[in-house]
Amino acid sequence: MILPIFNVLDDMDNNLINASYDLGATKWETFRHVIFPLSMNGVRSGVQSVFIPSLSLFMLTRLIGGNRVITLGTAIEQNFLTNDNYGMGSTIGVILILTMFITMWVTKERRER
């Protein structure tokens, strides 16, 4: 998550920050009106590259947690393969897909008109 934000902040033109100070903005106002809006692309790409895969990765949690950690991915696998409860496995799968779509919609780039 830190790397995409760092890349955006590293590529930011320092003249924009200096210009906000020259126009009388405080550090908080500079962050709120200049730095944060310009870093949103890094925040969006960080959320999409970290949060969405973490919803479905279940082998990594199984290896690290030793089958004691229940994630959505392990719950789907358990319901389909162990419990033969296809309805619950499908329901969890649909919730997982909807969560991913909602996350992608919330973090999509908005164009100002």
Side-chain angles (χ1 to χ4, degrees):
M1 183 73 184
I2 294 172
L3 189 60
I5 297 171
F6 173 77
N7 286 335
V8 169
L9 292 176
D10 192 41
D11 291 340
M12 190 179 303
D13 189 8
N14 286 336
N15 291 328
L16 296 171
I17 297 169
N18 291 334
S20 73
Y21 290 145
D22 288 344
L23 292 171
T26 63
K27 288 184 179 185
W28 170 249
E29 290 171 333
T30 300
F31 174 76
R32 201 175 97 209
H33 294 293
V34 178
I35 296 172
F36 186 69
L38 291 176
S39 67
M40 281 307 293
N41 285 335
V43 172
R44 283 186 202 99
S45 63
V47 167
Q48 289 177 352
S49 64
V50 171
F51 177 69
I52 292 175
S54 72
L55 288 174
S56 61
L57 290 176
F58 59 93
M59 285 307 291
L60 187 63
T61 56
R62 178 174 293 157
L63 292 173
I64 293 173
N67 255 356
R68 292 185 307 267
V69 177
I70 301 295
T71 62
L72 289 175
T74 55
I76 293 169
E77 181 192 26
Q78 251 179 1
N79 281 305
F80 274 108
L81 300 178
T82 307
N83 301 341
D84 290 330
N85 190 352
Y86 300 115
M88 182 58 117
S90 300
T91 303
I92 296 171
V94 168
I95 290 171
L96 177 69
I97 291 170
L98 288 175
T99 305
M100 287 184 190
F101 278 133
I102 289 169
T103 303
M104 290 174 61
W105 181 77
V106 166
T107 59
K108 77 177 181 178
E109 186 173 353
R110 308 274 197 273
R111 301 208 188 272
E112 293 184 21
R113 296 176 194 225

